[in-house]
Amino acid sequence: GEDVEQSLFLSVREGDSSVINCTYTDSSSTYLYWYKQEPGAGLQLLTYIFSNMDMKQDQRLTVLLNKKDKHLSLRIADTQTGDSAIYFCAEVFSGGYNKLIFGAGTRLAVHP
Amino acid sequence: DAGVTQSPTHLIKTRGQQVTLRCSPKSGHDTVSWYQQALGQGPQFIFQYYEEEERQRGNFPDRFSGHQFPNYSSELNVNALLLGDSALYLCASSLDTINTEAFFGQGTRLTVV
């Protein structure tokens, strides 16, 4: 099946860490993406992880992948007000050429 | 590199009309995919073009059609517009290889009235 689920909303204090969670269904997905969308804008690729990895770190971003549970998370360290946006998890559908299946998005609100 | 560019950025159409949206992929990319993002939802895959052919399609009616040109740019056409077609239409470009990143344009906001 094709389904990606995310919690809809997360509120954090500036300077704290944010953790956004995602579950997916296609166990054959080759890799998984995190995108960021600011109001009125398109999607900005933040990072991605190959399915044969457990963790990937990129500056303030850490991606954890649990293939057994089909669970993906994005941790943002030292969250800033500029990180306020909607974050989308997406899996590459194994049955097609780079067809992305997106979750509904998690709205991250960062407050002082 | 200008990245993925889409035009127009916004447009308003009347129910029943037809619309054409345009996309220029990132330099060096040969594959273009189109997505529809309704308000408050994640993007939904419409179709993908490679070598000027529609290679795969999502769950969208035949009113949605497309084209890819020899320079890899692409058009999305929607006929007989419905109010429910109002959405942000996103174009993504990538290379036709395994394990490749997809880059998105800023989108075209279509409003059907």
Side-chain angles (χ1 to χ4, degrees):
Chain A
E2 304 175 19
D3 197 16
V4 175
E5 294 190 357
Q6 302 178 237
S7 52
L8 294 182
F9 187 74
L10 176 65
S11 178
V12 299
R13 185 173 301 171
E14 192 174 12
D16 287 351
S17 292
S18 308
V19 179
I20 302 171
N21 295 300
C22 167
T23 58
Y24 61 96
T25 54
D26 188 350
S27 58
S28 298
S29 284
T30 52
Y31 51 110
L32 299 115
Y33 287 121
W34 283 104
Y35 283 91
K36 175 183 179 182
Q37 186 175 42
E38 296 183 76
L43 299 179
Q44 175 193 353
L45 176 62
L46 285 178
T47 187
Y48 62 92
I49 187 167
F50 292 120
S51 58
N52 62 356
M53 298 169 65
D54 296 324
M55 185 184 85
K56 179 179 180 182
Q57 188 149 3
D58 185 359
Q59 299 183 330
R60 292 192 299 124
L61 304 178
T62 302
V63 179
L64 296 178
L65 175 61
N66 181 329
K67 283 195 70 177
K68 175 177 169 290
D69 295 335
K70 300 195 190 87
H71 182 266
L72 182 72
S73 68
L74 174 69
R75 178 178 180 268
I76 305 173
D78 187 25
T79 312
Q80 302 298 308
T81 55
D83 295 323
S84 294
I86 300 176
Y87 290 79
F88 290 96
C89 164
E91 64 172 343
V92 176
F93 177 55
S94 62
Y97 305 88
N98 288 336
K99 170 185 172 182
L100 297 178
I101 309 298
F102 285 87
T106 300
R107 181 177 296 276
L108 174 64
V110 182
H111 56 88
Chain B
D1 182 9
V4 181
T5 57
Q6 293 186 242
S7 63
T9 53
H10 297 82
L11 75 165
I12 300 173
K13 288 287 189 177
T14 303
R15 191 172 43 183
Q17 284 188 314
Q18 180 263 345
V19 69
T20 297
L21 311 181
R22 295 176 176 83
C23 171
S24 293
K26 184 176 168 66
S27 177
H29 284 185
D30 56 8
T31 303
V32 173
S33 302
W34 287 92
Y35 291 80
Q36 180 196 65
Q37 186 180 17
L39 199 61
Q41 297 182 24
Q44 300 289 317
F45 177 81
I46 302 175
F47 44 51
Q48 183 182 90
Y49 276 83
Y50 172 69
E51 290 190 341
E52 302 179 47
E53 300 258 339
E54 181 184 295
R55 182 158 66 174
Q56 60 176 332
R57 188 178 184 92
N59 189 25
F60 280 81
D62 292 344
R63 297 186 298 108
F64 289 77
S65 64
H67 189 77
Q68 186 179 34
F69 299 94
N71 67 353
Y72 307 123
S73 67
S74 177
E75 289 182 349
L76 163 65
N77 301 292
V78 187
N79 294 322
L81 284 166
L82 303 174
L83 297 180
D85 295 331
S86 295
L88 180 68
Y89 287 84
L90 294 162
C91 168
S93 78
S94 58
L95 268 174
D96 183 45
T97 57
I98 298 173
N99 298 337
T100 182
E101 302 161 27
F103 292 87
F104 282 79
Q106 292 302 296
T108 294
R109 172 73 61 188
L110 172 64
T111 303
V112 182
V113 297

